[in-house]
């Protein structure tokens, strides 16, 4: 069966209604509208393209089972990111996937006159490298807000916090990103001018981890030479000029769409069983229909802000009844995983 490509012909509430009704056009429209940015987001957290593709597939499987409970169908976009976010964190906590933070960025060194001469694309690339110096919770907020451009209400919904809380998290994350960017610029351009910095960075592979960011930042605070370099290079225009940050150039393999839609529409007993299993292991869902937020693995501060352990809460009987009423069941198989095209980024 070929699934039509109804690009941008439905509003999100219509897409939700179509998915709930079991209309393949709703799933096709949701895929065409959101699969690529969802995959880019998942690739920002998961090392392997195949893991990111699985997270996207499971996000849509959860959608076929849980979207009927979404109180405001106009919030489909942040709802999908909230589900994908929990799916990625579940994989990382279970040890079934590697974090993209473990992959060193292959980026060229910045020139000393970066503050004046670097183009916007190069700035975005540099900030991408600086994001390696953020903790998982901070990076997650940056990805959702400055990469995927979720607005304040959408960001709050995706994170499962209030609007004011989301604003505070974003403000802190941006502050830490600016600090990380300053540390990276000084580390890349200042070693010749500061013997202390050069000695501290002996053997450094060029990747800014959280630990290295803290060490370099402490050195900058105590060093007049490096402190002046940071003030000179880190102009407001430098940081503002690269925002929003360019999304990862991640792409799903060409056949992924049709195979995923087949999996999502599979009404066989095996397909229904798989759909139930995926939905049951998703995070608990709140009264507004959004999944309760999971925490980034190892992010103690995030857990203190708001933490809801994952648990199996879906009622299999109710879901089976919903499937019998026309909602398509997810397939037992996996859609084609991305090949070389999915490795980009």
């Amino acid at each position: 069966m070929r699934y039509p490509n109804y690009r941008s012909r439905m509003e999100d509430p219509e897409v939700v209604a179509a998915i709930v009704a079991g209309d393949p056009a709703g799933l096709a429209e949701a895929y065409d509208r959101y699969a690529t940015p969802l995959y880019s987001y998942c690739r920002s957290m998961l090392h392997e393209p195949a893991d990111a593709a699985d997270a996207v597939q499971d996000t849509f499987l959860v959608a076929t089972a849980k979207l009927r409970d979404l109180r405001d169908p106009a919030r489909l976009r942040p709802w999908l990111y909230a589900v994908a976010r929990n799916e990625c964190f579940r994989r990382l906590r279970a040890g079934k996937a590697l974090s993209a933070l473990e992959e060193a960025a292959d980026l060229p060194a910045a020139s000393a006159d970066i503050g004046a001469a670097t183009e916007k694309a190069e700035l975005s690339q540099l900030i991408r490298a600086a994001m390696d110096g953020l903790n998982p919770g901070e990076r997650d907020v940056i990805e959702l807000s400055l990469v995927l451009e979720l607005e304040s209400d959408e960001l709050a919904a995706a994170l499962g916090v209030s609007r004011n809380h989301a604003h505070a998290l974003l403000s802190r994350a941006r502050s830490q990103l600016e600090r990380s960017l300053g540390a990276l610029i000084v580390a890349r351009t200042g070693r010749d001018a500061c013997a202390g910095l050069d000695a501290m960075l002996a053997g450094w592979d060029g990747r800014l981890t959280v630990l290295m960011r803290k060490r370099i930042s402490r050195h900058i605070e105590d060093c007049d030479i490096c402190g002046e370099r940071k003030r000179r290079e880190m102009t407001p225009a430098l940081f503002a000029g690269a925002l929003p940050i360019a999304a990862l150039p991640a792409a799903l393999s060409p056949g992924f769409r049709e195979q995923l839609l087949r999996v999502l529409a599979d009404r066989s007993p095996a397909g229904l069983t798989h759909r139930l299993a995926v939905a049951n292991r998703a995070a608990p869902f709140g009264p507004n229909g959004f999944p309760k937020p999971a925490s980034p693995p190892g992010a103690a501060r995030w857990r203190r802000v708001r933490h809801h352990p994952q648990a199996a809460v879906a009622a299999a009987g109710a879901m089976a009844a919903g499937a019998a009423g026309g909602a398509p069941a997810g397939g037992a198989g996996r859609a084609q995983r991305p090949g070389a095209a999915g490795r980009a980024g």
Side-chain angles (χ1 to χ4, degrees):
M1 176 179 179
R2 283 198 165 275
Y3 291 90
N5 190 342
Y6 294 114
R7 289 185 182 275
S8 302
R9 293 184 182 179
M10 302 182 189
E11 298 296 329
D12 277 355
E14 297 175 289
V15 173
V16 172
I19 292 174
V20 171
D23 184 351
L27 289 169
E29 174 66 18
Y31 180 93
D32 292 336
R33 191 175 296 178
Y34 296 118
T36 295
L38 281 170
Y39 179 65
S40 177
Y41 175 57
C42 293
R43 280 286 284 119
S44 75
M45 289 194 282
L46 304 174
H47 178 89
E48 292 295 334
D51 291 328
D54 281 350
V56 171
Q57 173 172 303
D58 286 353
T59 296
F60 282 105
L61 279 171
V62 173
T64 64
K66 292 292 188 178
L67 268 179
R68 66 181 64 251
D69 298 323
L70 181 59
R71 179 174 297 176
D72 182 359
R75 305 182 84 182
L76 173 63
R77 181 182 185 225
W79 187 91
L80 288 170
Y81 282 114
V83 173
R85 179 174 181 270
N86 282 357
E87 286 297 316
C88 289
F89 290 161
R90 181 184 62 78
R91 283 169 169 76
L92 291 173
R93 280 196 304 274
K96 295 179 180 179
L98 295 176
S99 170
L101 296 175
E102 298 171 11
E103 183 179 30
D106 183 17
L107 298 172
S111 61
D113 63 342
I114 184 171
T118 307
E119 297 294 333
K120 184 175 181 178
E122 294 171 322
L123 279 174
S124 293
Q125 188 180 53
L126 182 68
I127 292 181
R128 272 282 175 195
M131 287 171 64
D132 285 343
L134 304 179
N135 69 38
E138 292 160 351
R139 178 163 182 165
D140 183 42
V141 171
I142 293 296
E143 287 284 349
L144 290 169
S145 177
L146 302 184
V147 179
L148 297 165
E149 300 184 67
L150 267 65
E151 302 293 339
S152 56
D153 287 342
E154 292 181 314
L155 178 64
L159 296 175
V161 299
S162 69
R163 182 174 180 175
N164 287 343
H165 194 169
H167 184 272
L169 290 172
L170 176 57
S171 178
R172 173 177 171 78
R174 288 187 63 150
S175 176
Q176 290 298 93
L177 177 58
E178 188 169 358
R179 184 177 177 85
S180 186
L181 179 60
L184 182 62
I185 290 175
V186 170
R188 287 184 169 181
T189 66
R191 296 180 67 169
D192 290 343
C194 177
L197 178 67
D198 187 54
M200 185 180 70
L201 296 179
W204 182 48
D205 63 3
R207 180 189 170 210
L208 191 67
T209 62
V210 175
L211 178 60
M212 285 303 302
R213 184 254 295 171
K214 292 180 178 179
R215 291 180 61 191
I216 296 168
S217 294
R218 283 195 296 267
H219 171 82
I220 292 171
E221 291 171 357
D222 296 335
C223 176
D224 291 339
I225 295 173
C226 293
E228 174 58 29
R229 177 175 294 276
K230 179 182 176 181
R231 286 189 291 273
R232 185 174 66 250
E233 302 289 357
M234 275 295 296
T235 63
L238 172 71
F239 187 66
L243 302 179
I245 303 166
L248 289 171
L252 288 157
S253 59
F256 187 82
R257 177 184 186 270
E258 187 164 354
Q259 293 192 41
L260 173 58
L261 292 175
R262 282 191 190 133
V263 169
L264 294 173
D266 183 1
R267 300 169 184 267
S268 69
L272 176 59
T273 298
H274 180 63
R275 174 194 171 198
L276 289 172
V278 171
N280 282 347
R281 75 189 179 202
F285 284 71
N288 63 354
F290 270 77
K292 295 186 178 180
S295 302
R301 177 182 176 277
W302 189 271
R303 284 195 294 270
R304 287 197 296 272
V305 170
R306 184 169 181 176
H307 175 55
H308 300 274
Q310 286 187 323
V313 297
M319 291 179 58
R334 287 278 165 191
Q336 175 184 333
R337 291 181 168 189
R343 176 67 68 174

